[in-house]
DNA sequence: AGCCTGACTCGGA
DNA sequence: CTCCGAGCCAGGC
């Protein structure tokens, strides 16, 4: 069940600095699963507590990925704005808010 | 095993 | 810049 994969993903998400965001693909790559952005979505969907800053993960377009329950989307946005992140027309400027890990500098420069 | 679905992404139109 | 289709993975039927 790839519980190990989930653990590695959470470890990466926990490293995202406050007031910054990362994309699913970025997290996947840093966790050691390049190209498996979907796996990250799965891992976060399985979360039940806020021990992991899941709200700092957005899709490659800088938007909050649509979820089954819109209420959660709103909650994520509120949490991000509370950290100072600014939304422009329902999306974030990734070039400006993307988290760049200092350690493994392999931040995708897309 | 086959088929469908989902907090994704990329390349081409 | 937006839309689509295809590729990808784990789970539930």
């Amino acid at each position: 069940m790839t519980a190990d994969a989930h653990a590695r993903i959470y470890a990466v998400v926990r490293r995202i600095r406050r007031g910054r965001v990362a994309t699913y693909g970025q997290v996947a790559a840093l966790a050691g699963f390049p190209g498996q952005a979907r796996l990250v979505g799965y891992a976060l969907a399985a979360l039940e507590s806020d021990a992991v800053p899941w709200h700092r993960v957005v899709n490659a377009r800088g938007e909050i990925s649509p979820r089954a329950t819109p209420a959660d989307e709103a909650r994520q946005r509120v949490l991000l704005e509370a950290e100072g992140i600014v939304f422009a027309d329902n999306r974030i400027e990734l070039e400006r808010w993307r988290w760049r890990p200092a350690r493994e500098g392999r931040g995708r420069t897309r």
Side-chain angles (χ1 to χ4, degrees), chain A residues 6-16 52:
Chain A
H6 283 201
R8 296 175 69 174
I9 289 172
Y10 296 152
V12 172
V13 176
R14 261 194 287 269
R15 287 209 291 283
I16 303 175
V52 176

Side-chain angles (χ1 to χ4, degrees), chain A residues 40-108:
Chain A
V40 175
Y42 255 106
L44 296 186
L47 280 175
E48 297 175 4
S49 72
D50 291 333
V52 176
W54 56 271
H55 60 282
R56 295 180 190 147
V57 183
V58 298
N59 63 33
R61 295 155 86 185
E63 312 175 310
I64 290 174
S65 287
R67 295 226 254 7
T69 54
D72 290 327
E73 298 175 29
R75 191 156 96 84
Q76 178 170 10
R77 175 166 177 160
V78 171
L79 289 171
L80 290 176
E81 296 185 314
E83 297 189 350
I85 291 175
V86 179
F87 279 75
D89 192 29
N90 283 314
R91 81 172 48 173
I92 298 170
E93 277 182 46
L94 287 180
E95 324 74 62
R96 178 178 177 183
W97 305 103
R98 184 195 292 285
W99 169 63
R100 270 98 174 173
R103 268 308 190 24
E104 10 246 319
R106 80 251 276 326
R108 52 168 55 184

Side-chain angles (χ1 to χ4, degrees), chain A residues 15-51:
Chain A
R15 287 209 291 283
I16 303 175
R17 196 168 74 113
R18 189 171 177 299
R20 295 267 121 179
V21 299
T23 64
Y24 294 91
Q26 182 181 4
V27 173
L30 290 172
F33 305 104
Q36 296 182 54
R38 241 172 166 163
L39 184 56
V40 175
Y42 255 106
L44 296 186
L47 280 175
E48 297 175 4
S49 72
D50 291 333

